Amino acid sequence: MTHDCSFLEALALADDQLSFAMGRREPRAADWGTQDSDEAVVPDAVVWPESTDDVSAVLAAATDHGVPVTPFAAGTGLEGNAVPAHGGISLDLTRMDDVIEYRPEDFQIDVGPGIIGTDVDEYVADDGLFFPPLPSSGDISTVGGMVATDASGMKTVKYGEIADWVLGLEAVLADGTVIETGSRAVKTSSGYNLTELLIGSEGTLGVVTRVTLRLAGRPEQIRGGRAIFETLEDATEAISDAIRTEVDVARIELVDELSAGMANDYLGTDLPDAPMVFLEFHANHGVDEEIDLCRTIFESHDVSRFEMSDDDAEMERLWQARRELAYAVRSYDPDLEPLHPGDVTVPISAYPKVVREAKRLGEQRDLLVPCFGHAGDGNVHYSVLVDPDDPEMVDRGERLYRDLVELALEFGGTATGEHGIGLGKRRFLEPEHGAGAVETMRAIKRALDPTDTLNPGKLFPETLEGERIKEE
């Protein structure tokens, strides 16, 4: 559907803040996860706000004219969260990338939504601080995008997800109203928790224009390495056992043998052709004791090699292989494409079962299913590789992908640990939460955005058929 966005020319925007040119609109038709799919939609206009006032003016005018607005930042999402599904305006927030205020004495920083995650780390590094929950893509993803999907990363097992590190937000509602949530205090019981309501809402309830982040002190002791196992079953059981024993580990990542081979092909590395667990320990004292405990647990699961190091360059090479896995999977075979980016998360006791079932189904249905991920918090990243020109193979892959999500829900887990619902997981919202909870979500959406201006077409099951979440 095409929308007349000429009303934007009457707003107090500079010439370089507004474009109707196809060359500026097309790059905002998709995100990383939908760039090769038929779900891309070219917006009718692109706006680059540079202040909260700009955002407020655009949203108020768009709502008055019945034009959808979809927030956009770095475009690194994997579930089509930033696709302008109903056209309209793509609101590119990347120019709002300032550090607004920094309070190292309080371990806090206020930033704009367009700032890149690792830029926050670099800004505070001289004071011995860092922002722990950065996702693996933190060097290319914005803080606003992380807040929108409640992202998390490799250190979640120790430090938690983005929501655990956000103290407050400034956000603009669909009618242009500016609100502030939370406070600079580390705890509050005052009123509804609007901060956590907005976190993970994928831009469907408001557009975040400022984020107050909590920081942490950098640990004095950092040790990393890898453990190599004979079987994938041994590796997953060792991970589950280590977490249930409460080993104090900062990162514990699974890489199955198929993923290791893909990383080697893509990066020219020499990872062993075997299931591996990548590890990192953070502590101010006693790190060797935690490593020894982990080694003992892994030895009870027949670990064949357990290698640790405090050499920064060596650890960086190790973690690069893990960070680049999504690209490695996509580049593995020119005739095959990954269907959807699986990121189910389950209770840690169920983690080995989900990985085992993923590999079993792959063998049964003659499909490549690399498995890796943030194992310590029960997060399984998996891809199903198919030939897009083979409808029968695509159907087998779709069923496998769906079966694994449904299995995760049976175990009390979630369809998405960190990527969000977006376009890709709408069908699973009601099976996971139940009809009553989803209707409550609709009620909140309609209360805050009765015209469905903000990021329409996302989250809710009915949007699969093109419906909008509007007031009756």
Side-chain angles (χ1 to χ4, degrees), residues 199-223:
I199 295 171
S201 64
E202 303 184 31
T204 63
L205 300 180
V207 176
V208 171
T209 52
R210 188 187 72 236
V211 187
T212 298
L213 298 173
R214 188 165 59 89
L215 304 168
R218 290 184 180 273
E220 295 180 7
Q221 298 174 316
I222 299 178
R223 297 277 301 280

Side-chain angles (χ1 to χ4, degrees), residues 422-443:
L423 296 171
K425 291 193 169 79
R426 292 171 291 180
R427 76 186 84 169
F428 303 116
L429 193 70
E430 194 161 302
E432 178 170 343
H433 298 284
V438 173
E439 183 53 38
T440 301
M441 295 181 197
R442 291 190 189 97

